[in-house]
Amino acid sequence: MPTSADNAGVRLDHGAVDMHYRIRVQGHLDVSWQHRFEGLRIEHQEAGTTQLSGSLPDQAALYGVLLQIIRLGLTLLSLETSEATGREEAVESTPPQI
């Protein structure tokens, strides 16, 4: 069993930085399913795919989204990540201008 000396200087929580995710799946999902994906936005793409995007607080939330994709039998096409910044969050919450 590791002792506290074995973990000296190692930070396990890696800070409290939300990560921004863009997950693309095959097909168009109904927007009413948004609650199934930890609140990620559901956006239909022209190529007959759906993009789920937004911030998640930790890897456990990401695993929950991926597990939901598996349970629904969806085909995962891509997964992209980046650190969420306050500016990105503000831009994403602004509705698009038509």
Side-chain angles (χ1 to χ4, degrees):
M1 176 175 285
T3 65
S4 60
D6 294 334
N7 293 327
V10 176
R11 185 173 169 176
L12 299 177
D13 66 356
H14 302 291
V17 177
D18 282 356
M19 293 296 290
H20 181 81
Y21 294 93
R22 283 188 304 273
I23 302 169
R24 201 164 49 96
V25 297
Q26 187 65 46
H28 284 164
L29 303 180
D30 192 290
V31 293
S32 67
W33 285 13
Q34 188 164 336
H35 70 281
R36 295 179 181 237
F37 298 103
E38 302 283 332
L40 294 177
R41 269 190 322 278
I42 294 177
E43 302 171 42
H44 296 158
Q45 307 292 301
E46 289 182 23
T49 62
T50 297
Q51 178 172 281
L52 305 169
S53 63
S55 295
L56 296 172
D58 53 30
Q59 283 190 344
L62 173 61
Y63 293 156
V65 169
L66 295 174
L67 184 58
Q68 193 63 250
I69 289 170
I70 292 167
R71 286 181 178 156
L72 292 169
L74 302 174
T75 300
L76 177 65
L77 299 173
S78 66
L79 169 64
E80 299 176 28
T81 65
S82 62
E83 278 190 19
T85 64
R87 184 176 174 274
E88 284 177 353
E89 301 270 340
V91 169
E92 290 170 6
S93 64
T94 305
Q97 300 294 320
I98 299 177

